[in-house]
Every structure is written in C-alpha cells, then in structure tokens.
C-alpha cells in the first residue's frame, strides 16, 4: 500500500457512518500499534481506553464541545496518562527489562536510580506535561496506522477531561484523559472528505543542511 496515498486519503472526519463498525481484527492492529509506540525512556506512561457503547458515547457528546463524531464513531479511543510516576512505576519498568531481555540488574541499576531521582525532583505539572507528550506520540502513530488500515479518524483536544475522568472512573485507576480519537468509517455525505489538503509546500516545511 502506498503510504503517501493513504496519508492523502485521511482527513479529520467530521461525520461517521453510524452503521459501520470496525472489526476486532483491525482493532487488534491498533492495540498493537499503540503498545509499540515509542515513548520517552520506554516507560509507557500512557493507557488507551476504548469506548464502544453507543449510549455512553451519546452522553459524552455534551462533554466534547458537542462534537457529534463522539456518538457516531464505531469506537472512541481515549488517550490517558498515568498520574503517579513514582519509584514503583520506574522499578516495574526495569523489572520488565530484566525479565524480557535478561539484562543483569546490576547493569540496569545506575540508570534506574537516575530515573527515580529525576522524577522525584520533577513537579507534578512537569511530569504530567511529559506524560502528555507521550500520548501525542501515540496518537500520531495511530493516525498513520488508521490511514494504512483504511480507518477514518478525527483527533480531538476539545473536551472536558474532568468530566470524562469522572464518568469513565479514570481517577480511581490513576489515570487522566488527555486526547480523544473517534474512529470508524466516513459518512457518504461528509463533504470534508473531498476537500483538498491545505499544506505548505515541501520546500517551505523541510530544511536540508
């Protein structure tokens, strides 16, 4: 498949076909892509909540700046960040490295100690901003994978995070919602599907040295 062609094909879908649903097979591709997304230090301070409940999706429209795509989409992906990046969280990562790669804990310990100290000295706001950056990496990755899989999507920042956190019970799981990505298949009458992309020229956006 021509990647550039598919990136030209994708757009921020404004109207989804409410009767078409994404197969479990394609969802599994997205799940794998999310989990394989690069994150700072490999710590993966992000989780993906997947909504496929039409009643719940309809209720969330009012907390999403009344963007109807939330109700129409086959699924809504809610990108969340971990709210507690502490010694235990970092240690869990290094235990995973040891288990999977069989790397000696004595070799891992200096970097592990550094990260524990580094996060202990960061403010909660800085840690939240860092974790949110990782969520953007994951969304960018899934936007491309969706395009390659012929799945329509619409990245969203405009929503009431606190309302989502309360309704979805995220706070008690140590999570905070930061981004939304309704996914599905475009409606036949979505006029935005035929709009030409508006981008700078390559010479304006790329600098070669």
């Amino acid at each position: 498949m021509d990647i550039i062609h598919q990136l030209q094909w994708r757009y921020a879908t404004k109207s989804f076909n409410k009767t078409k649903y994404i197969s479990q097979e394609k969802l599994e591709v997205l799940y794998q892509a999310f989990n394989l997304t690069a994150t700072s230090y490999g710590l993966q301070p992000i989780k993906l909540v997947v909504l496929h409940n039409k009643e719940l999706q309809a209720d969330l429209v009012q907390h999403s700046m009344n963007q109807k795509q939330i109700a129409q989409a086959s699924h809504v992906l809610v990108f969340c960040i971990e709210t507690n990046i502490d010694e235990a969280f970092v240690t869990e990562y290094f235990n995973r490295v040891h288990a999977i790669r069989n790397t000696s804990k004595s070799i891992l310990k200096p970097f592990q100690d550094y990260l524990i100290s580094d996060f202990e000295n960061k403010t909660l706001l800085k840690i939240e901003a860092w974790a949110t950056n990782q969520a953007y990496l994951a969304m960018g990755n899934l936007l491309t994978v969706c395009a390659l899989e012929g799945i329509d999507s619409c990245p969203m920042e405009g929503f009431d995070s606190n309302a989502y956190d309360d309704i979805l019970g995220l706070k008690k799981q140590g999570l905070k919602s930061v981004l939304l990505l309704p996914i599905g298949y475009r409606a036949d009458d979505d006029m935005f599907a035929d709009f030409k992309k508006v981008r700078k020229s390559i010479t304006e956006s790329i600098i070669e040295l």
Side-chain angles (χ1 to χ4, degrees):
M1 184 177 291
D2 185 339
I3 293 176
I4 300 303
H5 173 78
Q6 288 306 112
L7 291 178
Q8 288 282 0
W9 170 85
R10 71 146 299 276
Y11 72 108
T13 305
K14 300 299 187 291
S15 183
F16 286 94
N17 184 330
K18 294 183 287 186
T19 66
K20 292 185 68 175
Y21 300 102
I22 297 171
S23 69
Q24 188 61 39
E25 181 181 12
K26 284 188 177 288
L27 284 174
E28 292 296 335
V29 172
L30 298 185
Y31 297 168
Q32 290 284 351
F34 175 83
N35 201 47
L36 289 169
T37 296
T39 59
S40 180
Y41 305 123
L43 288 177
Q44 293 181 278
I46 52 177
K47 286 194 177 181
L48 191 66
V49 175
V50 182
L51 306 182
H52 184 49
N53 179 312
K54 295 301 139 184
E55 183 177 346
L56 178 57
Q57 288 173 231
D59 288 342
L60 287 170
V61 170
Q62 63 183 313
H63 304 296
S64 313
M65 299 184 71
N66 292 315
Q67 296 176 91
K68 62 183 180 179
Q69 299 100 309
I70 297 296
Q72 297 172 338
S74 170
H75 295 71
V76 177
L77 308 184
V78 184
F79 292 75
C80 302
I81 60 172
E82 302 268 5
T83 57
N84 191 24
I85 311 297
D86 56 8
E87 180 176 350
F89 186 93
V90 174
T91 298
E92 182 182 6
Y93 165 72
F94 281 94
N95 287 341
R96 194 157 53 245
V97 174
H98 172 69
I100 294 173
R101 296 179 176 171
N102 199 31
T103 307
S104 168
K105 289 191 175 182
S106 62
I107 292 176
L108 296 172
K109 192 175 187 306
F111 190 37
Q112 178 178 342
D113 290 345
Y114 165 76
L115 286 185
I116 290 171
S117 175
D118 186 52
F119 280 101
E120 284 179 343
N121 290 316
K122 280 182 167 65
T123 65
L124 290 177
L125 284 177
K126 284 188 175 182
I127 292 175
E128 183 175 304
W130 167 80
T132 299
N133 286 342
Q134 315 315 306
Y136 276 96
L137 286 174
M139 174 177 274
N141 191 29
L142 287 197
L143 284 171
T144 298
V145 174
C146 279
L148 293 176
E149 290 293 321
I151 297 170
D152 287 297
S153 61
C154 184
M156 293 181 177
E157 296 176 300
F159 72 105
D160 185 340
S161 175
N162 288 327
Y164 266 71
D165 295 351
D166 288 340
I167 293 169
L168 302 180
L170 299 179
K171 292 179 182 178
K172 62 185 178 184
Q173 300 182 61
L175 300 173
K176 178 179 180 180
S177 57
V178 293
L179 294 167
L180 303 177
L181 187 66
I183 57 176
Y185 298 100
R186 64 191 67 176
D188 291 338
D189 61 354
D190 188 356
M191 65 179 183
F192 290 90
D194 296 323
F195 283 10
K196 290 184 177 180
K197 284 197 181 297
V198 179
R199 296 290 191 274
K200 294 179 179 180
S201 68
I202 292 294
T203 56
E204 288 179 298
S205 60
I206 306 296
I207 299 174
E208 292 185 329
L209 299 177

